[in-house]
Amino acid sequence: MRKVLLLVIVLFGMATVHAEDYFYLTIVETDGTKTSLTSVGLSLTFSSDELTVSNAYTDESKTIALSHLASLNFSNDDETNGIHSIQTDATFRIDEADAVYTLQGQKLPTSTPLQKGVYLIRKGTTTKKLQVR
C-alpha cells in the first residue's frame, strides 16, 4: 500500500496537512527526544518561534521552540515508549511494592532481583518508574 502525504499551502502562512494512512506524527527534538501524537484530528500551528501540535479528538498536545525541532515524521508506529523522564524518589522502597512490571507489561514476583533496566513499581494506588543501573 502506498502512503500519501498531502500538503496544501493557503494564504497568510496557514497550512493544512492530510496524512492519509498514517496513525502518528512524531516530533523529534535536537536532543533526540521523541513525542508521538495521534495523527487523526491533528492541528499544527506555527508562531514566530514555536510550533504547537494538538489533537482535536484527544488531549494530546506539544509545544516546541522551532530552534529545538529536528524533524517531523508521519508513521504507523508510536516511536516513543511513553516515559518522558525518570526522577529519583528515595522514599519509595522496592521491597514494599505490591507489584513489579516490566515495560512490556510482564508482572514479576516482587522478590525477583532486578536486572539493569526500567520497571513499573506499584504500591497501593501509586505507580512509579524505577531505573536499575
Side-chain angles (χ1 to χ4, degrees), residues 44-116:
L44 286 78
T45 306
F46 292 90
S47 68
S48 61
D49 61 348
E50 286 185 333
L51 166 65
T52 300
V53 181
S54 57
N55 191 299
Y57 303 118
T58 67
D59 291 334
E60 299 170 304
S61 68
K62 173 76 174 177
T63 299
I64 181 174
L66 292 175
S67 61
H68 295 149
L69 179 64
S71 67
L72 297 172
N73 308 308
F74 284 98
S75 69
N76 285 321
D77 299 311
D78 181 347
E79 296 181 26
T80 62
N81 63 9
I83 297 175
H84 302 289
S85 65
I86 297 176
Q87 299 174 348
T88 302
D89 185 355
T91 63
F92 200 82
R93 295 178 39 145
I94 185 73
D95 58 342
E96 297 176 351
D98 294 331
V100 177
Y101 296 91
T102 66
L103 292 180
Q104 292 75 32
Q106 179 185 11
K107 186 175 181 179
L108 302 174
T110 55
S111 61
T112 301
L114 300 177
Q115 303 295 319
K116 288 183 180 180

